[in-house]
Amino acid sequence: MKIKKFVAGLSAAVLAATMMSLSVSAAKLGDVVHPSEEDSKMNDSYYSIGAMGFYMGQDWTWNQGDWVGIDDTGKITVEYKISKVVTDKTMSGKGTLGDMGVMVANLPDGVYPVDVKISDAKFVAEDGTTTVFDSLNSITSLDEDPEGGIRIHIRPTDEVNDETGEVTKKACPEVAGWEKEGAFNGGTLSMTLDFGVASAEGGESKTDASKADSKSDASSSKADTSKKDVSSSKADANKTSAAAAASSKASDNTSKAAETGAAVGGALAVIALAGTAVIVAKRRK
């Protein structure tokens, strides 16, 4: 298999920044909408989220793939086969690319920008050549597209507003030149979008481990303190008991033998269990 990766002295983060604007204040989808066995409206809203691949050639005719719904873990894996017949209507083998990508629809209002991790974004041409989209795989959040939902555009050139000169859609560096005849002849576009594990109903997001870590640290600290305090108290008690026994033995001259009690040693085991309950709500049948 032939592998082609775009390298131009730019980091993956910089490449991602050229694709779209990212925000550090992105929301977690699972904190807004998630599977629920008690709330049918919430449940239906979550499972209505989905995505599909799309393709547009130089004539900008819209073509789309199958709809793929979100799963219980917040992931959507899209695979879209773009036919060579669609890319080149003249059947001359001179296909061109206008725009292709993935659109995500039915996300709830107020969730943007939303946390999302894109992985395995690639295009496998019909001849087996694989183009890996590092600029997409480095994305960690996405804002709402002007046309609604999320749209991941893979374009060989920028889209520019003729009146204002503003770049409305950034080009994808890995496909530079694919607008030329013969540069694009169909293949399979695929990627996985991960919005994070849905939060348990009424609980905290499972993607936020900071609280669980804090609980673990606190429990561990408490356990250590308890062990030290108990052990210290026990040691002091043993010393006092031994001293009292020695004094009693010295003062009792008529006794054949002073009876001394040996303290029975024991270990106090304190086990701190830290963690959060995981509730995976399945879709109502």
Side-chain angles (χ1 to χ4, degrees), residues 23-138:
S23 171
V24 295
S25 59
K28 290 181 174 59
L29 178 64
D31 292 338
V32 179
V33 64
H34 49 265
S36 172
E37 293 183 344
E38 289 75 31
D39 188 334
S40 61
K41 184 176 181 181
M42 174 74 77
N43 196 65
D44 292 344
S45 178
Y46 179 82
Y47 284 105
S48 69
I49 298 169
M52 60 185 178
F54 67 85
Y55 163 75
M56 290 183 286
Q58 288 282 286
D59 60 357
W60 304 109
T61 300
W62 175 268
N63 299 278
Q64 67 188 46
D66 294 332
W67 177 263
V68 182
I70 193 169
D71 66 15
D72 292 345
T73 67
K75 292 182 180 180
I76 307 175
T77 298
V78 179
E79 184 173 291
Y80 177 36
K81 180 172 176 56
I82 304 171
S83 171
K84 183 176 181 179
V85 176
V86 174
T87 64
D88 182 15
K89 295 182 178 180
T90 66
M91 297 300 290
S92 63
K94 296 182 178 181
T96 56
L97 172 66
D99 192 359
M100 69 175 173
V102 171
M103 65 175 293
V104 183
N106 299 336
L107 287 165
D109 294 334
V111 73
Y112 301 102
V114 62
D115 278 350
V116 60
K117 178 67 179 73
I118 298 178
S119 60
D120 300 323
K122 62 182 181 293
F123 181 81
V124 182
E126 290 198 346
D127 65 0
T129 299
T130 298
T131 300
V132 178
F133 297 116
D134 287 334
S135 60
L136 301 181
N137 288 327
S138 63

Side-chain angles (χ1 to χ4, degrees), residues 20-27 112-115 140-143:
M20 62 277 292
S21 175
L22 306 182
S23 171
V24 295
S25 59
Y112 301 102
V114 62
D115 278 350
T140 57
S141 67
L142 288 169
D143 211 337

Side-chain angles (χ1 to χ4, degrees), residues 25-283:
S25 59
K28 290 181 174 59
L29 178 64
D31 292 338
V32 179
V33 64
H34 49 265
S36 172
E37 293 183 344
E38 289 75 31
D39 188 334
S40 61
K41 184 176 181 181
M42 174 74 77
N43 196 65
D44 292 344
S45 178
Y46 179 82
Y47 284 105
S48 69
I49 298 169
M52 60 185 178
F54 67 85
Y55 163 75
M56 290 183 286
Q58 288 282 286
D59 60 357
W60 304 109
T61 300
W62 175 268
N63 299 278
Q64 67 188 46
D66 294 332
W67 177 263
V68 182
I70 193 169
D71 66 15
D72 292 345
T73 67
K75 292 182 180 180
I76 307 175
T77 298
V78 179
E79 184 173 291
Y80 177 36
K81 180 172 176 56
I82 304 171
S83 171
K84 183 176 181 179
V85 176
V86 174
T87 64
D88 182 15
K89 295 182 178 180
T90 66
M91 297 300 290
S92 63
K94 296 182 178 181
T96 56
L97 172 66
D99 192 359
M100 69 175 173
V102 171
M103 65 175 293
V104 183
N106 299 336
L107 287 165
D109 294 334
V111 73
Y112 301 102
V114 62
D115 278 350
V116 60
K117 178 67 179 73
I118 298 178
S119 60
D120 300 323
K122 62 182 181 293
F123 181 81
V124 182
E126 290 198 346
D127 65 0
T129 299
T130 298
T131 300
V132 178
F133 297 116
D134 287 334
S135 60
L136 301 181
N137 288 327
S138 63
I139 289 174
T140 57
S141 67
L142 288 169
D143 211 337
E144 185 174 16
D145 189 88
E147 297 179 56
I150 287 175
R151 299 203 182 200
I152 300 168
H153 296 277
I154 301 173
R155 303 171 51 87
T157 58
D158 290 341
E159 178 186 86
V160 180
N161 186 299
D162 294 333
E163 296 180 359
T164 65
E166 176 190 4
V167 176
T168 54
K169 293 184 180 70
K170 283 283 188 181
C172 182
E174 290 91 344
V175 297
W178 286 16
E179 83 282 10
K180 298 176 182 178
E181 286 188 337
F184 182 74
N185 292 300
T188 301
L189 171 67
S190 60
M191 68 181 70
T192 296
L193 297 93
D194 185 357
F195 291 94
V197 178
S199 60
E201 191 163 14
E204 65 188 23
S205 172
K206 296 177 191 174
T207 59
D208 186 359
S210 60
K211 294 183 180 180
D213 291 341
S214 296
K215 291 180 181 178
S216 179
D217 292 341
S219 299
S220 178
S221 177
K222 184 177 180 182
D224 291 341
T225 302
S226 299
K227 289 179 181 179
K228 291 177 181 178
D229 291 345
V230 172
S231 299
S232 178
S233 297
K234 187 173 182 181
D236 291 343
N238 287 341
K239 289 179 181 179
T240 302
S241 177
S247 178
S248 176
K249 181 177 181 180
S251 62
D252 188 6
N253 294 323
T254 60
S255 176
K256 292 181 180 180
E259 296 182 1
T260 58
V264 179
L268 176 64
V270 179
I271 302 175
L273 298 178
T276 55
V278 178
I279 302 174
V280 179
K282 299 296 182 180
R283 190 175 187 181

